Amino acid sequence: LSRGLCLKEYEQKFGKPYHPFLIRKAKNFEKFGFVKVSDESIALTNKGMLVSNIIIDILTGEMYEDL
């Protein structure tokens, strides 16, 4: 979790790019110090680790509602 989600590895593993929604939502959490967003990854901060289940649920839950 502290290493984060490597966006390039995600694309390689699943054969498609990450959903843009993921970056937009993660940047909202970054404003409060819960995650760090870069061009390469999205990673939880120490502060974010305390509420990681909630953050992961929000980042992935809404993204897959259409499935």
Side-chain angles (χ1 to χ4, degrees):
L1 291 175
S2 62
R3 181 175 159 251
L5 170 66
C6 176
L7 301 174
K8 186 175 182 177
E9 286 178 20
Y10 178 94
E11 290 183 33
Q12 290 172 344
K13 183 173 184 174
F14 297 106
K16 59 183 178 179
Y18 53 88
H19 199 288
F21 172 85
L22 184 66
I23 299 296
R24 288 195 307 270
K25 246 344 182 184
K27 286 186 177 186
N28 286 328
F29 285 114
E30 186 175 39
K31 293 176 189 174
F32 299 99
F34 291 116
V35 302
K36 177 72 178 148
V37 180
S38 73
D39 291 337
E40 293 88 27
S41 67
I42 300 170
L44 293 168
T45 63
N46 287 338
K47 183 178 177 181
M49 290 286 189
L50 298 172
V51 290
S52 61
N53 288 344
I54 295 167
I55 292 171
I56 293 168
D57 184 50
I58 291 170
L59 290 179
T60 60
E62 294 176 25
M63 194 167 84
Y64 296 106
E65 282 182 354
D66 294 336
L67 296 179

